[in-house]
Amino acid sequence: MKVAKFGGSSVANATQIKKVADIIKSDQERKFIVVSAPGKRSSDDFKMTDMLINMGNAYINDEPYEEYYSLVIERFKEIIDELELSSSLMMEIEKSIKSTLAMDVSNDTKMDSIKAIGENNNAKIIGAYLSEIGLSARYINPKEAGIIVSDEPGNAQILPDSLAKMYNLREEDGILVIPGFFGYSEEGTLVTFSRGGSDITGSIVAAGVQASLYENFTDVNSVYTVNPTIVENPKEITELTYKEMRELSYAGFSVFHDEALIPAIRAKVPVCIKNTNNPEAKGTLILAEREINDRCVSGIASDNGFCSLYVSKYLMNREIGFGRKLLNILEDEDISFEHAPSGIDDISVIIKESNLTPEKEELIIQRINDELHPDTVSLQRGIAIIMVVGEGLVNTIGVAQQAVSAFSSANINIDMINQGSSEVSMMFGIQETEIEKAIQSLYRAFFE
Ligand code: ASP
């Protein structure tokens, strides 16, 4: 039994939904279908969820919300009409949106219920359409499906017990169409996951029902070896391990929502990224383990917006507790750190720039000076991280040398290298302005 999740662009209008139906029809193992809200139909279009958030904010703040409301209704109406579904479904949807707005609950809960309108009604529409074309399919609400989550509006977490109970869904007849992006608290309140969270639902359902495969349908043929906006037509990745995917998505590969894969990974369900607009393409398969081929690097990712806090002190290595005290200062100031490459007398702590306001920066440097008495402390902003990722790295000689030569032939200075704990990646820190040149040069070195 497979779980197939269709993202926003795959279910953005009637034409896309018909493609989805063909995909479902073509494989009887596709039993659990998770859907997003209608996404963008073109690059200048709106995402239904964004419109719902605008509508919710306006409604809650007593501002005019009618324009947003009409856009939401028009979008559903267009889909229903083009799929030639009964107008009573549209009436039902409109009634439920009105009653969601009128709910007498806290603003947070109301906002979550409004945000979920897109997924919930799209699942109803798709369920109805699949039945209409003769499949045995029905919409199932996440409460009935057993998606029970913590009561944290906009950031729900699945409760571990609910996964085991979801296994019973396998016994249900026919195809089940489940709206993504939300679950219910133990008290029965609707709570959404973080943005992009339909991927989380897909992964939870895949884990719960112990699917043989979790297919994630989007609008790309596969995951690419590097960002296709930096290198034209880069090679596709056919197989990745979970660990490789995590390292790549950490540094800017945005195919997946960060936490989304966790339930599927824990349950060891293989994940396949596929294209709704080209379902014949093989896609990228993400597995717990894979055979290492002769290409040791699987992908190269990059992300900017980092800064490096550099601290040096003569004989630092002999000073017991230095690292702890330094990290404690960050903890006290509520700042998480990304990496901390260190030398004998130096340590750099890499932090996301968005976590460090100029006021915090001043405070931290002051505290380090007062409490740790270093020789130097400085902060450098505008750093980009580049990750060269591949399970084959550990056993291949000369990868670092190849990467370093790629930087040097592009005339790029490396600020930091870290190949410490992770066995599957090598990390480089460079100036943000050099990202494109660096990626292009690394791509030439490893893939051409
Ligand atoms: N519709 C939700 C969002 O835009 C969830 C999703 O599409 O995955 O965040």
Side-chain angles (χ1 to χ4, degrees), residues 220-254:
V220 289
N221 276 348
S222 69
V223 178
Y224 293 100
T225 45
V226 293
N227 183 342
T229 63
I230 300 183
V231 172
E232 217 179 302
N233 287 327
K235 294 207 163 74
E236 295 177 357
I237 304 180
T238 49
E239 267 187 16
L240 277 177
T241 62
Y242 297 139
K243 187 94 178 82
E244 288 173 317
M245 183 71 207
R246 160 78 180 126
E247 304 262 346
L248 288 168
S249 60
Y250 167 76
F253 266 44
S254 58

Side-chain angles (χ1 to χ4, degrees), residues 19-40:
K19 290 183 195 166
V20 167
D22 287 340
I23 292 170
I24 297 170
K25 261 199 308 203
S26 68
D27 184 346
Q28 287 189 354
E29 285 183 38
R30 294 186 175 126
K31 178 177 173 66
F32 302 98
I33 310 301
V34 175
V35 299
S36 279
K40 291 184 179 191

Side-chain angles (χ1 to χ4, degrees), residues 5 7-8 36-37 47 49-50 115 119 181 194-199:
K5 182 256 165 180
S36 279
K47 281 177 82 170
T49 310
D50 293 333
K115 273 153 69 181
E119 272 66 15
F181 191 38
S194 50
R195 284 303 303 273
S198 294
D199 278 345

Side-chain angles (χ1 to χ4, degrees), residues 1-2 24 27-33 127 130-131 134-140 168-178 209:
M1 287 182 186
K2 296 179 184 168
I24 297 170
D27 184 346
Q28 287 189 354
E29 285 183 38
R30 294 186 175 126
K31 178 177 173 66
F32 302 98
I33 310 301
L130 295 177
S131 315
L135 294 174
S136 157
R138 71 174 175 104
Y139 156 89
I140 178 170
N168 299 332
L169 287 174
R170 294 172 68 101
E171 303 304 322
E172 295 285 327
D173 288 333
I175 296 168
L176 301 179
V177 184
I178 309 167
V209 303

Side-chain angles (χ1 to χ4, degrees), residues 96-133:
S96 84
I97 297 179
K98 281 188 180 141
S99 62
T100 301
L101 288 172
M103 269 168 32
D104 185 18
V105 289
S106 73
N107 284 348
D108 281 349
T109 296
K110 181 174 285 199
M111 196 62 194
D112 269 15
S113 302
I114 294 174
K115 273 153 69 181
I117 286 173
E119 272 66 15
N120 201 30
N121 292 304
N122 223 15
K124 286 185 183 164
I125 293 174
I126 293 167
Y129 180 66
L130 295 177
S131 315
E132 197 61 34
I133 60 167

Side-chain angles (χ1 to χ4, degrees), residues 333 335 356-366 381:
E333 302 306 331
I335 291 169
L356 202 62
T357 58
E359 298 74 48
K360 278 259 156 108
E361 173 183 336
E362 204 183 304
L363 185 71
I364 283 169
I365 292 188
Q366 185 65 48
R381 288 186 181 263

